[in-house]
Amino acid sequence: MMQWFVPLMALMWVITSLVVCLINLEQLPDIIISIVKSAFGWQEAAGGVAGYTLSQALTSGFQRSMFSNEAGMGSTPNAAAAAASWPPHPAAQGIVQMIGIFIDTLIVCSATAMLVLLAGNDATYAPMEGIQLLQKAMNTLVGDWGAAFVAIIVILFAFSSIVVNYIYAENNLYFLNLDNKRIIWVLRITTCSTVIAGTLLSFPLLWQMADIIMACMAITNLTAILLLSPVVHTLASDYLRQRKLGIRPVFDPLRYPDIGQQLAPDAWDDIPRD
C-alpha cells in the first residue's frame, strides 16, 4: 500500500505548491534572486569566512538534510533490497535510490521553501519556525484552509514514516532470527511508546535526540559502505560496461565469483539472460 500512498502524498503537496507558485508567478523572479544573493552574496561570504557562521551553517545543513532524505543512514536500502530491480542489475536499483534523494530534497523541500518565501518576511513570523511558519505562510497565500491542509499533509508524512520504519525494524528481527511473538510485541509497544513520548518532549530536545540517533546510524552505515566499496565498484563497472556496449544490463553472478559471499542466496539465479 505504501508504494502508492507515499508518491501520491508527495505529489499532492508538490502540485499544491506549484499551483500557489503559479498564482504568484510575478513574485518568483525576485524570490529566486533573493535565494541566490543570500547564498552567494558578499556579506554572506564574509560571514562564512569568519568561521563560526560557516560551521553553524554546515552543521545545520547536514543535520536537516539527513533528516529530510536519510542519505547515508542505511534505512532506505531496506526498501531497495526488497524491490524488483529493472533492468535486472543491482546497480540499477542504486540509481533509482539516488533519484529518490533528488525528488525529496530538490523538489519537495524546494516547494516548501518557495511557499514560505512567497508569503513574505513579516515581523509576526519572527517567533515561528518549522510547521508553524509553514502553516502561517499557507494561510497568507491561500486563506484559512491552508493551515489545515499543511496539518493533514504532515500527519500523512508522519504516519507513513512511522509505518515504514516499523516494517524495517520487524524485517531486521526476521534477519536476526528474533521473530518470535514476544519480541515482535515488545517492538510494537516500544514503537507506540516512542510516538507518545515524542509528543510530550520539547521540540529542541527532540531535534537533539534525532541528531544523535541519526549520527549513530550514519557512522555505522558509512563504515559498512567503506568496507563494501570494492563490491560496489565491481557492480557499477559491470553495469556501465554493458551500457556502453548498448545492451540491457543484466547481472551474472558467475562472472564475479569473488563477491559470491556478499550476495543473498538465490537472489540472482533466475534472472533471464540474453
Side-chain angles (χ1 to χ4, degrees), residues 4-248:
W4 299 105
F5 178 72
V6 174
L8 181 62
M9 175 182 59
L11 188 62
M12 184 188 307
W13 176 248
V14 172
I15 290 176
T16 303
S17 303
L18 183 61
V19 170
V20 174
C21 288
L22 291 176
I23 294 174
N24 299 273
L25 187 62
E26 69 281 356
Q27 299 182 41
L28 286 183
D30 293 335
I31 294 296
I32 296 174
I33 293 173
S34 175
I35 293 174
V36 174
K37 286 184 176 181
S38 298
F40 303 104
W42 287 107
Q43 294 181 352
E44 289 73 16
V49 173
Y52 178 77
T53 303
L54 180 61
S55 64
Q56 288 296 102
L58 287 173
T59 301
S60 179
F62 276 118
Q63 290 172 342
R64 300 291 79 82
S65 63
M66 288 181 63
F67 188 84
S68 168
N69 56 49
E70 299 186 356
M73 289 177 56
S75 55
T76 51
N78 288 271
S85 180
W86 190 262
H89 197 288
Q93 190 60 34
I95 294 174
V96 171
Q97 292 301 110
M98 294 168 61
I99 296 174
I101 295 176
F102 170 81
I103 294 174
D104 186 5
T105 305
L106 291 183
I107 296 181
V108 176
C109 292
S110 295
T112 305
M114 282 294 180
L115 293 178
V116 175
L117 294 173
L118 283 172
N121 192 23
D122 194 279
T124 56
Y125 283 21
M128 295 184 182
E129 61 179 11
I131 183 65
Q132 293 178 340
L133 177 60
L134 183 57
Q135 287 180 311
K136 177 67 176 179
M138 283 293 286
N139 271 356
T140 302
L141 293 169
V142 301
D144 294 337
W145 66 270
F149 177 75
V150 172
I152 293 173
I153 291 294
V154 171
I155 289 173
L156 294 177
F157 271 103
F159 174 74
S160 61
S161 298
I162 293 170
V163 171
V164 169
N165 281 280
Y166 170 79
I167 293 173
Y168 293 164
E170 187 170 305
N171 285 341
N172 289 331
L173 291 181
Y174 280 92
F175 179 78
L176 297 172
N177 294 321
L178 297 174
D179 52 322
N180 60 72
K181 290 185 177 180
R182 179 179 300 178
I183 295 181
I184 289 178
W185 273 105
V186 168
L187 175 63
R188 292 173 179 174
I189 294 173
T190 302
T191 302
C192 294
S193 301
T194 303
V195 173
I196 296 173
T199 63
L200 302 176
L201 298 177
S202 65
F203 197 64
L205 178 59
L206 280 176
W207 273 122
Q208 292 173 1
M209 293 178 61
D211 291 338
I212 293 172
I213 294 172
M214 287 190 295
C216 293
M217 291 178 61
I219 291 172
T220 303
N221 185 62
L222 292 176
T223 301
I225 289 176
L226 288 175
L227 295 174
L228 290 172
S229 56
V231 178
V232 175
H233 181 268
T234 299
L235 296 175
S237 298
D238 180 67
Y239 179 84
L240 295 175
R241 177 185 60 81
Q242 296 184 62
R243 288 294 301 268
K244 288 181 179 179
L245 293 175
I247 61 176
R248 186 190 69 183

